[in-house]
Amino acid sequence: RFSLLLLNLEEYYFEQHTANHIINKDCKDERKFRGSLKICSKSIIFEPDDNIQPIIKIPLRDCISIKAPEDNEANNPFTRNTSGAISVVCNQVFLIKERNVIAPYKTVRGRTEHLFQLDVAGKVGDVVQTLHQLYRASCLDKMGDQAAMITAILQSRLARTSFDKNRFQSISETLHMECKAEMVTPLVTNPGHVCVTDANLYFQPLNGYPKPVVQITLQNVRRIYKRRHGLMPLGLEVFCTENDLCSDIYLKFYNYQDRDEVYFLIATYIENHIAEHTAESYMLQWQRGHISNYQYLLHLNNLADRSCNDLSQYPVFPWIIADYSSSVLDMTKPETFRDLSKPVGALNKERLDRLMTRYQEMPEPKFMYGSHYSSPGYVLFYLVRVAPEYMLCLQNGKFDHADRMFNSIADTWKNCLDGATDFKELIPEFYENDSSFLVNSLKLDLGKRQGGKMVEDVELPPWASGPDDFLQKSQEALESPYVSEHLHEWIDIIFGYKQKGSEAVAAHNVFHPLTYEGGVDLNSIMDPNEKVALLTQILEFGQTPKQLFTTPHPQRIIPKLKSLSRTSSHSISIAESPVSPNEESFEDLTEESITLAWNNIAKLKLDQQYKIHKEAITGIAVTCNGSSVFTTSQDSTLKMFSKESKTIQRSVSFSSMALSSCLILPGDTTVISSSWDNHIYFYSIAFGRQQDVLMGHDDAVSKICWRDGRLYSASWDSTVKVWHCVPGETLSNKKHHFELLAELEHDVSINTIDLNAANTILASGTKEGTISVWDVSTATNCMSEHAFLLLLFLLFAFFFCTDSRHLLSTGEDCCFKVIDVQTGMLISSVTAEEPQRCFRWDGNTILSGSQSGELLIWDLLGGKVIERIKGHTGAVMSMWMNEQCNSVITGGEDKQIMFWKLQY
């Protein structure tokens, strides 16, 4: 029945002794109860073995005397048969869990004496001495002085003990580190010793509670997070699961050096097994539909220091549904949902106007909301039916007033909209599968409301048939298309760029400065009393999550004609589908074949290889029927290779300088090549001769693209030029006509360009690693541009994904980087062992050609290589892939072209 929740906040449980509690000694109604005496930093607790009897809690500050009866005292009633006894005289006692029922504590006031007879009489002197020390601490006037003295007692106890090595799982384990720490659970911490070996993480509580040692096998660890605990960077949380809300252990260290060393030891152990997940890597998985909205929010909470073990930083989830009165929940109507672009405090305009008037008149530091959207009180408001002892611990042995309890979903939502000081969001439990927090299954006496109604189960909206149905519909709402389209707006407010600064002011999202990370430096406060008071205020008030994003969060990519989530029960109706139920479109079949190819890309096998150039191959283009392969090289030649005859059929040299890339125009009649001599050459396949030359740049042309009658050329002269091309007549010798539509200027040389599938966005990459994104959809000369500096030193290649939202780049820094082109946010970065010179990707998997000549297949979301294929003897310089993604051609520094095929 005893738990650490019976202690006060910031109280420690030191030791226990088996004892008898003797009441009315030497009287006719003398009673003796066997149990356990607990010595705590602010109280004495006696837990009887008999569950009917209440647990007795005596606050040390309410004690009048604590002593062991003296043997030489004449006429002392305690001297007879009271060996090992401790007498405690006090003026207030709390009775807890009488008849083993969880209920508000009963207070017994008035002078009473309690006699505790220890089984081991020899410990009486030490116990009394400890109690005297703790009593003196509890009698100090100021909280800071009390805390300092108790901390000194605790540290002295920890210094006199060490981890018991007999607790190791194996005698062959190697000790890496041992230090002092506290295990954190909601509202309480438990001091002890941490030990890290080559196989396990151990925690041994000083008091042996709840068990002698907690052991975590390092091989089972899946995630590890540094935590901010009590506003200090001293926490560490370890998870042995990938998606669970609760961790396996949360530790708080006494200095950040110990915390960082333990983190390093565990992270070093697991880094070979598990890729480290960042907010950006989860974002990419979420955007592409690999994880649900719920899972993404869970991961963001974890990364933002939110933990189920810390009620002042409990995971925060949004109110989603705004309709709690209808009999049927219509998720096709936007008005069913809450406006996710606004914080709760800004949802009601009238209330917001009043708050803004106060805000304008307020002296610095200003804040709009006097309470937070997440705090220990709010968390336990929702969870009181399943965690009543936590509520009693937080509120000094009392439940809240019955009318202020979590009585109704609709009333709670209404109060969040209208209440002068109520701005709370929800907790993850509203979107999980356990509905017990909505039901008073423990039959708790939570009080009687005005009107005489008892507080029982939470009143649900009419559209929910029961608690499980309510959670099911809440989950469906969270994963609905509307929420998927707008969830990034809420993320901007809670975890993103609208959390702080001028953007927060504009979004009406300003809370008290003490709630923000870095809002106060506890180390700079010298007065211990001021520090304790400030810390208590902040922890009770609630804290804003760590800011994860400083630029606008990208929107989720909503798949067309597909159910949004595996967990969603909604699917597209037949009427909405352009395809009849019994047939598939050609596009669907093509998409399926592409997906199949990428799923099997690791089965790519070398089919043929030919050495056809005298220098490195720089470009590859293939005719529609696949029979002819055109290649360009640094040897200045354009060559036409026949797959059927396996011979070179044409070899053309336009100048003495290297050619950098090539492409075939629609119709397979013309090949275009770009050259280091500043020119672009047009070669007629039918007539076998140079048809045209475009003198378009003042330095080498590095890359060309062709889309919808437009030619895009990039050059070392720091420009990208857009040309409208009117082809010459097929059988005459008339030249192509070129009209310069736009000139996109940069600061340095351009290495590469690419366009998205819709031909509306052009990206250009420079030698310095800057990627610029241009809107080319509007008009000829009206092109807007924004640039992202990726610090790649030298860009080799990049390509848009088929969704047109993501751009993957690679460069001299050996990194693959994924950018969201709408926001410019870097959302994923994967580091390779060596530079990757060229690649193709489908959004999830990358096929890349490396500096050493290997082909590598990457799991982008997992951030790891899943297959290595031996290829060229020098760098892979260029790569072509067919539309079905089952045939690949690579060109290398070794002057060879290699033909690759998928072999299922």
Side-chain angles (χ1 to χ4, degrees), residues 55 92 115 118 126 247 303 313 361 393 452 458 475 485 540 561 600 603 614 724 733 837 839-840 872 874:
I55 294 172
Q92 183 169 251
L115 191 68
L118 306 189
D126 291 338
S247 64
L303 291 165
Q313 297 189 92
E361 297 169 353
C393 176
V458 177
Q475 291 170 17
E485 287 173 15
E540 290 181 0
L561 308 174
N600 291 277
K603 297 176 182 175
K614 295 178 182 177
H724 177 59
N733 59 2
R837 299 300 300 260
F839 68 89
R840 290 293 184 273
H872 296 266

Side-chain angles (χ1 to χ4, degrees), residues 706-708 712 754-763 776 799-807 821:
W706 178 277
R707 298 284 176 85
D708 291 343
Y712 300 82
D754 190 38
L755 282 105
N756 68 342
N759 305 327
T760 56
I761 302 172
L762 179 138
V776 293
F799 291 101
F800 279 95
C801 187
T802 51
D803 59 29
S804 296
R805 285 283 300 277
H806 294 137
L807 189 74
V821 294

Side-chain angles (χ1 to χ4, degrees), residues 572-595:
I572 303 301
S573 68
I574 291 172
E576 294 174 288
S577 173
V579 183
S580 66
N582 297 321
E583 62 178 82
E584 288 186 282
S585 68
F586 176 75
E587 289 78 8
D588 287 338
L589 292 170
T590 303
E591 187 177 333
E592 282 183 16
S593 67
I594 291 171
T595 302

